[in-house]
């Protein structure tokens, strides 16, 4: 993969959000495999997805495709600690 993904876990009020972003290829095509890989990884970790959203964002230097997942609170990882968040990102 020429351009790496960016992964961020944030809190939106009482909800936890996983945001995965990657630059759109020069051909203008997205990477549907990223969505599949993220959902498979979350399933493997035992984390349920409450909702998911795919979108695009244009900046001055490139176009980004983002995948926003609202995570279910019921999982074995402590979402309030950096250790738990880092385990999910890894």
């Amino acid at each position: 993969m020429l351009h790496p993904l960016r992964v961020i876990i944030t809190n939106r009020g009482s909800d936890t959000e996983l945001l995965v972003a990657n630059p759109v290829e020069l051909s203008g095509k997205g990477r549907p495999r990223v969505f599949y890989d993220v959902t498979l990884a979350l399933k493997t970790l035992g984390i349920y997805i409450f909702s998911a959203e795919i979108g695009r964002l244009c900046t001055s230097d490139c176009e980004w495709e983002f995948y926003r997942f609202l995570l279910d609170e019921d999982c074995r990882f402590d979402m309030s600690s950096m250790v738990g968040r880092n385990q999910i990102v890894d």
Side-chain angles (χ1 to χ4, degrees), residues 43-63:
K43 180 181 176 184
T44 303
L45 292 172
I47 299 172
Y48 297 107
I49 300 169
F50 180 73
S51 68
E53 175 187 353
I54 301 172
R56 287 197 176 193
L57 175 68
C58 293
T59 62
S60 60
D61 56 343
C62 72
E63 185 176 7

Side-chain angles (χ1 to χ4, degrees), residues 9-61:
I9 297 179
T10 62
N11 287 335
R12 282 188 2 179
S14 62
D15 299 324
T16 303
E17 178 182 83
L18 173 67
L19 182 67
V20 179
N22 62 286
V24 174
E25 297 294 324
L26 294 176
S27 64
K29 295 183 180 179
R31 295 183 187 157
R33 181 71 193 217
V34 172
F35 185 78
Y36 173 79
D37 288 341
V38 172
T39 55
L40 180 63
L42 290 173
K43 180 181 176 184
T44 303
L45 292 172
I47 299 172
Y48 297 107
I49 300 169
F50 180 73
S51 68
E53 175 187 353
I54 301 172
R56 287 197 176 193
L57 175 68
C58 293
T59 62
S60 60
D61 56 343

Side-chain angles (χ1 to χ4, degrees), residues 26 39 42 51 59 64-66 75 77 90:
L26 294 176
T39 55
L42 290 173
S51 68
T59 62
W64 292 84
E65 187 169 56
F66 66 86
C75 73
F77 293 95
D90 290 342

Side-chain angles (χ1 to χ4, degrees), residues 62-80:
C62 72
E63 185 176 7
W64 292 84
E65 187 169 56
F66 66 86
Y67 308 89
R68 182 178 291 153
F69 301 92
L70 192 58
L71 304 179
D72 190 41
E73 298 174 3
D74 215 16
C75 73
R76 62 184 176 143
F77 293 95
D78 182 16
M79 299 288 193
S80 62

